[in-house]
Amino acid sequence: MIPTSNTVKVFEGEQYDTAGIYSYARGLFRKPAIDGTETKYRQFNTLRQGQIVYSKLFGWEGAIAYVTSEFDGLHVSHEFPTYEIDEDRADPRYMRHVISWPAFHASLNKEASGMGSRRQRVNPERFLGSKIPLPSLGEQRRVAEKLDAIMSLITQVATVRDNSSRLAHQYMNSLLRPIEDQEPLSVALRPSSDFVNVEPDENYRTAGILNRGRGLFHRPVIAGSDTKYARYNRLHTGQFVYSKLFGWEGSLAVVPTEFEGVHVSHEFPTFDIDTSVADVEYMTHLARWSGLHDALKGKGTGMGSRRQRVNVDRLLATTVPLPGLPEQRRIARQLTVVRRTTEAGAEQTAQVAALRPALLNTAFSGQL
């Protein structure tokens, strides 16, 4: 690679379209336009299609990209060195795969300088000094052609998965939004806690809740002596649980069987579902529904998005679609089928995505 720089002076009153780089070779992204008065930089480096660019600060974690046509002419700071590919020695398609190779990122990590992971820097000399497999141009083109074909299929699988998720979301909305029977959550939920005293010599299985209705997740087992909490709330299958701190962004769930007896703090209120008026499976889908998450966004108290809290009264006062039990069960059955299908697709997508590093390892070890 050949170091190159297309510098432009920064003038007050001028607008500059800028870019950044995702870690792990996930490409460039467009930043908002910036006025010359809003930056400390007196010069920008202009990106050109076909260049390789990386971040000195995050090169060690794969913040490297190939400049495609949609980023041609955008600007970056001097912290993002750019390089032309010497096409007499390297095929551009081959190099695009090399810079996405986790083993290459690992080599940059070893060569980074600075104290602490967030202060490591990869200077240009170390970047250019990194060793990469560079066979003949003919072999590079052969490998690149095979990798292009396989990676294209992997991308198609991911695209199908994303489209399926969007369709599932739209389908859920089509079933829930038109429902005219609206009731506050207090009709279906009854506060119910099972607090246990924390003993210093006991170990506790704990859990958290992902946002956007993505359910509970297991946290590491913790010793009683290592927590600040004097009591834990013990979860039970079929309960409704949410996070006071992140309820406004959809941290809600119905407890599945695998979380029976797992512990959470008092910041996670729990409720029994009144099965005379609400179906547990229906409530499970309701906890995942973006319409409920949107309704809770305005229920938080406190200053700033990261300090909002949704207290129990506000949660229970939130109205939700709650038709009769037969209709709830009908809707729940349909949504369960859709969810199982999308979850199976997500698992397949994850398995296919895991092939990427393995394929690159195979390609760059001469076995493809």
Side-chain angles (χ1 to χ4, degrees), residues 235-298:
L235 299 177
H236 295 291
T237 302
Q239 286 185 320
F240 188 99
V241 59
Y242 84 103
S243 164
K244 287 182 182 178
L245 192 57
F246 297 108
W248 61 275
E249 59 179 16
S251 290
L252 324 167
V254 171
V255 180
T257 55
E258 61 266 32
F259 285 88
E260 171 67 34
V262 175
H263 302 87
V264 292
S265 78
H266 65 277
E267 294 286 356
F268 295 80
T270 48
F271 307 82
D272 289 336
I273 295 172
D274 184 347
T275 55
S276 68
V277 296
D279 179 71
V280 173
E281 188 178 359
Y282 178 83
M283 294 299 292
T284 299
H285 292 293
L286 203 60
R288 296 167 176 154
W289 183 41
S290 62
L292 176 53
H293 308 161
D294 291 341
L296 291 173
K297 284 180 180 176

Side-chain angles (χ1 to χ4, degrees), residues 18-268:
T18 59
I21 310 177
Y22 289 116
S23 294
Y24 311 112
R26 290 177 295 141
L28 290 156
F29 62 92
R30 185 182 289 268
K31 290 181 173 180
I34 188 172
D35 189 275
T37 58
E38 299 175 314
T39 177
K40 65 181 180 181
Y41 297 113
R42 295 300 90 204
Q43 286 186 325
F44 277 137
N45 189 10
T46 306
L47 299 175
R48 293 301 177 204
Q49 182 178 353
Q51 291 178 332
I52 300 291
V53 58
Y54 84 98
S55 163
K56 290 181 184 178
L57 192 56
F58 295 107
W60 60 274
E61 64 175 14
I64 311 163
Y66 178 88
V67 182
T68 53
S69 58
E70 61 266 37
F71 294 97
D72 184 79
L74 268 63
H75 302 92
V76 292
S77 76
H78 65 275
E79 294 287 351
F80 296 81
T82 50
Y83 301 87
E84 301 286 350
I85 296 172
D86 183 354
E87 296 191 27
D88 291 332
R89 300 191 62 193
D91 179 75
R93 292 186 306 157
Y94 179 84
M95 291 301 297
R96 290 183 72 169
H97 292 294
V98 168
I99 64 171
S100 69
W101 187 26
F104 177 54
H105 307 160
S107 71
L108 293 176
N109 193 351
K110 292 177 183 177
E111 295 168 358
S113 61
M115 298 294 291
S117 63
R118 288 287 136 187
R119 298 181 63 188
Q120 295 185 61
R121 301 176 71 83
V122 178
N123 64 42
E125 292 76 16
R126 290 181 181 271
F127 181 75
L128 290 175
S130 298
K131 303 292 185 183
I132 61 170
L134 201 66
S136 68
L137 280 171
E139 177 64 6
Q140 289 179 45
R141 291 172 185 136
R142 185 191 71 81
V143 170
E145 186 173 343
K146 286 197 170 186
L147 286 174
D148 283 347
I150 299 169
M151 296 302 182
S152 176
L153 290 174
I154 291 175
T155 300
Q156 288 176 37
V157 170
T159 300
V160 170
R161 156 65 183 157
D162 290 342
N163 290 338
S164 297
S165 296
R166 281 193 290 272
L167 287 172
H169 176 74
Q170 292 170 5
Y171 184 62
M172 179 179 277
N173 277 333
S174 73
L175 291 178
L176 295 177
R177 288 195 184 280
I179 296 173
E180 295 182 358
D181 298 319
Q182 301 280 322
E183 298 287 351
L185 278 170
S186 59
V187 170
L189 302 180
R190 302 285 181 267
S192 177
S193 302
D194 182 13
F195 284 110
V196 296
N197 293 326
V198 173
E199 302 294 339
D201 56 350
E202 292 287 335
N203 290 325
Y204 296 88
R205 293 184 301 141
T206 60
I209 311 179
L210 296 168
N211 62 4
R212 301 195 300 278
R214 291 177 295 153
L216 289 155
F217 66 93
H218 288 284
R219 285 182 165 150
V221 173
I222 187 171
S225 57
D226 291 334
T227 179
K228 65 181 180 180
Y229 297 112
R231 296 193 304 168
Y232 272 136
N233 187 9
R234 187 160 49 195
L235 299 177
H236 295 291
T237 302
Q239 286 185 320
F240 188 99
V241 59
Y242 84 103
S243 164
K244 287 182 182 178
L245 192 57
F246 297 108
W248 61 275
E249 59 179 16
S251 290
L252 324 167
V254 171
V255 180
T257 55
E258 61 266 32
F259 285 88
E260 171 67 34
V262 175
H263 302 87
V264 292
S265 78
H266 65 277
E267 294 286 356
F268 295 80

